[in-house]
Amino acid sequence: MPAPLLDRLQPLPDPLDADVVARARSELGIDIPHPAENLFAAIAGGSPYLRDLVLHDPDFFLHCVHHSPEEVAEAICHETAGAWRGEDVAIELRRLKTRFAMVTALADVGGAWDCDEVTAAITRFADTAIGAALNALLVQAEARSRMRLANADDPSSGCGYVVLAMGKHGAFELNYSSDVDLIVLYDPDTARLAEGVDPSTFFVRLTKDLVGFLQEVDEHGYVFRVDLRLRPDPRATQVAIAIEAAATYYENMGQNWERAAMIKARPCAGDLPLGEEFMSRLRPYIWRKYLDFAAIADVQSLKRQIHAVKGHGEIAVFGHNVKLGRGGIREIEFFVQTQQLIAGGRNPNLRGRRTLDMLDALAEAQWITPAAADELKSAYRFLRTVEHRIQMVADEQTHTLPSDPVAFARLARFSSFASADDFAAALRRTFETVQGHYARLFEDASELGTATGSLVFTGGEDDPETIETLSKMGFRKASEVSATIRGWHFGRFPATRSAKAREILTEIMPALLAALARTGDADQAFLAFDRFLTGLSAGLQIFSLIKANPRLLDLICNILGTAPRLAEQLSRRPKVLDAVLDPAFFGPLPARQDLKAALAFMAPPDVSLDETIDRTRIFGREQMFRIGVRVLSDTVSAVDAGVAFSALAEVLIDRLHQAVTADIETRHGHVPGGGSAIISMGKLGGREMTAGSDLDLILVYDAAPGVEMSDGPRPLSVTQYYARLTQRLITALSAPTAEGVLYEVDMRLRPSGNKGPVAASLESFKVYQRESAWTWEKLALTRARPVAGEESLKADLVSAISVALCATRDPGKTQVDVLDMRRLMLKELGPSNVWDIKRTPGGLVDVEFIVQHLQLIHAPKTPSILDTNSMGALEKLLAAGLIGRTEAAILRDAAALYHRLTQVLRLCLEGPYDPPNAPEGLNLLVANAAATPGVVQAEAILLETQAQVARQFEKLIGVIAV
């Protein structure tokens, strides 16, 4: 039998607070054996919590002093193991926990037990207490006819419910005031539940009762605080998990940090054989058979402290966290666990749970030197002892050294140091030793943090240093960001379901967060990236692409933070990023002929109509994305972007027109001497399309004289034939498919609008434009341009449009009609908004009306001024002397500004633009498009420009009477 504590006490320095000790001694009311005087003084002066324990139960204090701590601890554990048989188990467990806390502290502070003995004793008591609490609850469940026990003398035997001890608890390394980290599993097939009792409901309730049994605080104290967040995906799973579901999760989706956590896992209560069987099944998951060097970067995410790795900065002592700080306990643990994960698959000797044992094993296996093992073991024991002293002060789960010099000095004495300076020096030497070994372990690893600080997204709770780092980077909701990223790593979405995808995501995470922060609104950009990530069908490809090409990060984050349209395309088809990697990407945009050839290769004539529609959409989306990125990166002008978007639309319309025509011909034959062509109006006609433009189209057909029917097996009349072709073309362009919608199509500009047939014959088109077209239709016709179809018919249409525009008309009536039309538009618009760039007074519509009005009234005498593009028409009007140089310059500058802003806004937004509520990145884009330093100045420029255009409208057309 070991000697009594009284005979094993080590010398202790006098505490600082002599008056506190004196008051405690007077309150104690008993004589203390002389050798134990220093021990009582150390406790009374260093720990209010322990002082209260001794004063509350002085007889037990004397009992501990006169007996060996081993004997006392053994007796308490024995009594605890049988506590489930008693009347009030909860009160009894709390009483025993209080006594165990006292004997442990006395043996620790008095020097009778070393660090290993202290942690092992605390762990044994935790196992026993959890087992007793569970037994009591199982007995209660049987009494309520919820289940049947296999053995009344051992309620846990064969119960189908097992508690796994994790972390320090699993490794027999529990702290003095530690939580117990648990994972709770049940087997619905072996649990002896009563008929009709749902296993999930029963065991979740049992687990909640067990947690309450252990951690609820009352006048008797508590047993242990419980943490269940190490279970698989704690935000999405119940507190008790079916054992098969847990095994499937780990085998298919378990992360490397979870592998590290499972190294220390062991069954501690409940159906222990069931737990051992589970751990045996997980062995291949935890201990991979190969040297997993590829996973080391992900393992590093458990503790990313780049300053420590790089050797930057001075280690603080005051206020330092001995567990999580630089050179702290966590770095020793991860130093060991990382190498265990790498080598344990081939060397079973490296599969142990205890940190100190594994340091010896690593040295024996020559993974580290014996000297490194000895230094780290010494550091570990010292820091754990200091950690216990910190926690003994107030029975709090804290790991932080005092910042206050007096409190620090008090802790130094409580930790057996003669002075605060000696204590600080010992701490600093230890931190630096640990930091040096930790840094050398990862000195060849890629950088996984930021210059701002560490980033840790593992486990079930926020890492304080990570929250601080995120806040410094500009994330206002740092805790939400941290929790969301942890969710990514749990594989909740297809993009992060594979282990390799998660490992690469871990590597790029610091750079990703930095890029999101650079968008100007870190939180908004992060939310956009989260939406993007959840929409991906797989993540490995795009994560690998980013890893290999870091410059893509800024581009992607810029897109996600400012351009929802592009972001949606990117989410659906991440492969579009391949185009950005092409060395020629930032060169001249593809010409119409190049686009036509590329589309012909992707959608050749021999594929079906449905497949052509899908392939055309894929091609169109990829090309729109390319143009959009060029606009976003400010590497093409608004004019060039408008031409590019328009050329793409022409090519797509032409290909689909061909495909629809071939399909109609297959079903209904040909129309002898017939053909069709597409007239584009509006933005497409003027080659001014944006990312959000729809298509204003007219389909015109012609047939040989006297032909009334097509010549196929199911003939149609000519009118029906081309009406059906038109309807199918609209569907091919605008109907949603698995590849999305290509364009919205508007056919209201056809002759007679919605009242007329969807397809117009060439003759009816000519007659309508000559005899019936309204002035507003003539204005729209100034932008009409054939873009697809039979070449001869397209030539006839060019001639017909020119004839219609050059016909003699009354300038006065045209002016009145234009003013009436603009007045009606403004009435329907309602209150004007400066950012309604198109329709507000002095906006883009006014520029277009001025140009179109001047073309209509002067084309009969000067046909050369006709141009479907507003800027082109302005230049021709100026050259012909039909507009003054000052007026032309004002309108030209206004149109250029409006087009630049419209390209950016239509690329980035679906709805209206509201600067105060817009992402900062978008406001910066808008300011850049306006060539101003900020959006406030941009708005001022816009207001001034609108006022100038409004004055020109009044001067060149007239005043709009409201």
Side-chain angles (χ1 to χ4, degrees), residues 749-784:
L749 291 179
R750 67 185 186 271
S752 299
N754 288 337
K755 296 179 181 179
V758 292
S761 69
L762 175 62
E763 188 57 31
S764 68
F765 178 80
K766 291 178 180 178
V767 171
Y768 183 84
Q769 294 297 338
R770 183 174 62 247
E771 300 176 1
S772 305
W774 296 72
T775 299
W776 70 265
E777 291 176 296
K778 291 295 178 66
L779 290 175
L781 197 65
T782 62
R783 312 192 78 181

Side-chain angles (χ1 to χ4, degrees), residues 46 118 187 350 516 542 737 825 834 839:
V118 172
D187 184 358
L350 297 177
L516 291 171
I542 194 165
T737 73
M825 290 179 67
V834 63
R839 298 179 300 172

Side-chain angles (χ1 to χ4, degrees), residues 29-321:
I30 61 172
D31 293 329
I32 304 174
H34 177 69
E37 279 282 351
N38 277 356
L39 175 60
F40 177 77
I43 287 174
S47 167
Y49 168 69
L50 292 177
R51 180 175 68 239
D52 289 345
L53 289 187
V54 173
L55 293 177
H56 180 73
D57 196 354
D59 291 336
F60 184 70
F61 170 72
L62 288 179
H63 177 77
C64 292
V65 169
H66 288 294
H67 293 78
S68 74
E70 293 83 1
E71 179 185 359
V72 178
E74 175 65 27
I76 293 174
C77 284
H78 180 75
E79 195 174 351
T80 301
W84 63 273
R85 300 177 187 273
E87 289 295 322
D88 200 329
V89 184
I91 293 176
E92 184 64 9
L93 288 180
R94 281 156 176 74
R95 182 185 70 83
L96 292 168
K97 166 61 186 301
T98 300
R99 289 198 157 190
F100 195 86
M102 188 190 299
V103 68
T104 305
L106 295 175
D108 188 356
V109 176
W113 281 356
D114 62 18
C115 177
D116 301 28
E117 292 169 305
V118 172
T119 56
I122 296 172
T123 303
R124 184 187 170 197
F125 178 79
D127 287 358
T128 308
I130 294 168
L134 176 58
N135 281 344
L137 291 170
L138 292 173
V139 169
Q140 290 177 15
E142 184 181 50
R144 294 168 183 160
S145 301
R146 304 288 289 169
M147 70 177 303
R148 291 177 292 110
L149 297 178
N151 184 344
D153 292 327
D154 184 7
S156 295
S157 176
C159 68
Y161 178 92
V162 63
V163 180
L164 299 183
M166 305 295 291
K168 288 184 170 64
H169 185 188
F172 286 89
E173 298 170 341
L174 267 182
N175 293 338
Y176 187 79
S177 296
S178 179
D179 290 358
V180 286
D181 293 304
L182 307 177
I183 292 178
V184 176
L185 308 172
Y186 65 89
D187 184 358
D189 296 328
T190 62
R192 300 161 63 89
L193 300 182
E195 186 174 350
V197 175
D198 175 63
S200 175
T201 303
F202 175 81
F203 286 119
V204 167
R205 182 70 263 169
L206 179 67
T207 303
K208 291 179 179 178
D209 289 343
L210 177 63
V211 171
F213 211 109
L214 294 170
Q215 74 175 14
E216 285 179 2
V217 180
D218 59 22
E219 67 271 22
H220 304 288
Y222 69 101
V223 187
F224 283 100
R225 291 176 291 261
V226 179
D227 193 334
L228 298 175
R229 289 175 295 179
L230 286 182
R231 70 185 185 273
D233 199 355
R235 294 175 73 195
T237 57
Q238 291 282 10
V239 292
I241 304 172
I243 202 161
E244 185 62 32
T248 301
Y249 169 85
Y250 286 119
E251 290 165 353
N252 294 283
M253 299 176 63
Q255 303 172 53
N256 275 315
W257 74 263
E258 289 174 302
R259 287 177 62 208
M262 294 305 291
I263 288 175
K264 296 188 175 187
R266 64 176 177 84
C268 71
D271 193 338
L272 299 181
L274 177 66
E276 294 294 353
E277 181 183 343
F278 176 77
M279 294 308 303
S280 176
R281 178 172 174 179
L282 285 198
R283 196 170 292 124
Y285 155 71
I286 303 170
W287 306 112
R288 297 182 184 176
K289 292 297 184 183
Y290 51 89
L291 293 178
D292 192 9
F293 286 109
I296 192 171
D298 193 46
V299 176
Q300 267 190 282
S301 72
L302 299 170
K303 182 66 174 174
R304 266 187 230 110
Q305 291 183 325
I306 296 307
H307 290 294
V309 174
K310 298 298 183 184
H312 292 170
E314 181 181 352
I315 294 175
V317 172
F318 287 88
H320 196 71
N321 189 311

Side-chain angles (χ1 to χ4, degrees), residues 112 236 476 685:
R476 297 183 300 277

Side-chain angles (χ1 to χ4, degrees), residues 668-674 703-722:
H668 305 291
H670 298 76
V671 173
V707 173
E708 296 182 354
M709 305 289 291
S710 65
D711 60 9
R714 290 181 291 168
L716 296 173
S717 70
V718 173
T719 302
Q720 288 178 310
Y721 186 94
Y722 286 108

